[in-house]
Amino acid sequence: MDSTSAKDLVKRFSDTMAMIAAHRDSLRGIATLYGVAVPTNAQQAISLCELTLLACSADKPEAAWLNSEERERARNAATSLSAALIELRGARDRAELNFTDRVLSADNLDDAVRWLEGPFRSDTRYLARLSTMSTYTDAMVTRLPQAIDWQRAHQAFWHVAEESFPSLGDYWSGESTDFDLIDQLMAVAERISSLAPRIVDPERFAAQVARGGTPHRG
């Protein structure tokens, strides 16, 4: 190897080292910004880059979901609420052709069947108020169980909601809750946790990757 070739090799080596140092400094800055440990190998560097991409998503998981126990609690809550909502929608679809939503707050609705079949059959004005036609008909005898199912499903949904909705954070929106989105974001939260196994600053980390945070884009 002549002197010219040797000098060229040294220059290329020097440039390569400078590039590595620049990337290392960049990764160190990103890691500090995200509150995670500085990458020590190529795979960790790739994981950090993926983490920054997830942080720039329009929809991000709740900060609590980054914790495995809280995430499981939220997943169970979403599953229970979603199932209860399916039951509620089905019951409402079957009943609302014949009954108004007054049945949801009606008292003693279970007793109405006995009223219709018993000595109080003439007292039907109460039941007429529940009908979409605002009048009592003999057909209500067979259709009233639809109203009862609607009321029970409504009560069951909101009973589950009262116990479970805090786990869903700002993604809870009553019957309008997007459970498909929540399911997707649970998976994102799980992926984020796997990409950052060593979190140095939890608050800074959550500020970057969780809902409500503002990821640095510079």
Side-chain angles (χ1 to χ4, degrees):
M1 179 182 295
D2 57 27
S3 60
T4 300
S5 298
K7 289 180 180 179
D8 185 56
L9 179 62
V10 169
K11 184 179 185 307
R12 290 203 303 270
F13 180 77
S14 177
D15 290 345
T16 300
M17 292 304 295
M19 181 181 67
I20 292 174
H23 284 302
R24 184 171 57 244
D25 290 342
S26 177
L27 288 172
R28 182 180 295 110
I30 295 173
T32 300
L33 180 67
Y34 276 70
V36 298
V38 178
T40 57
N41 57 51
Q43 184 56 54
Q44 291 177 3
I46 292 172
S47 294
L48 180 57
C49 290
E50 184 181 345
L51 189 66
T52 63
L53 293 176
L54 291 175
C56 292
S57 299
D59 295 308
K60 296 190 289 187
E62 292 287 341
W65 300 351
L66 301 175
N67 176 279
S68 60
E69 292 184 2
E70 292 296 331
R71 185 167 59 248
E72 188 63 22
R73 183 177 292 109
R75 181 178 283 117
N76 291 337
T79 298
S80 297
L81 283 165
S82 180
L85 181 57
I86 291 173
E87 291 293 326
L88 171 56
R89 287 173 174 168
R92 179 167 54 217
D93 288 344
R94 291 187 294 272
E96 64 182 356
L97 291 177
N98 302 301
F99 299 95
T100 71
D101 60 4
R102 291 192 186 95
V103 301
L104 301 180
S105 57
D107 295 327
N108 304 315
L109 195 55
D110 288 311
D111 293 330
V113 173
R114 291 191 293 275
W115 294 349
L116 292 171
E117 296 174 344
F120 304 103
R121 185 179 178 82
S122 60
D123 187 10
T124 58
R125 286 179 297 179
Y126 172 76
L127 297 174
R129 291 180 59 251
L130 308 181
S131 170
T132 54
M133 299 179 65
S134 299
T135 184
Y136 171 78
T137 65
D138 289 340
M140 292 188 73
V141 176
T142 57
R143 293 172 180 169
L144 193 57
Q146 296 175 347
I148 295 173
D149 287 345
W150 184 8
Q151 184 186 72
R152 288 176 177 172
H154 177 82
Q155 293 171 345
F157 173 75
W158 287 104
H159 176 73
V160 174
E162 185 177 355
E163 297 180 344
S164 305
F165 85 88
S167 296
L168 303 186
D170 288 339
Y171 286 102
W172 167 250
S173 186
E175 291 187 39
S176 300
T177 300
D178 190 339
F179 291 103
D180 289 335
L181 176 60
I182 289 175
D183 187 59
Q184 294 171 17
L185 293 178
M186 292 288 180
V188 171
E190 192 166 358
R191 179 59 179 166
I192 287 174
S193 296
S194 70
L195 291 171
R198 293 183 297 160
I199 300 174
V200 178
D201 189 332
E203 289 188 8
R204 180 170 290 188
F205 179 70
Q208 294 295 322
V209 303
R211 180 182 175 89
T214 306
H216 186 271
R217 300 174 186 269

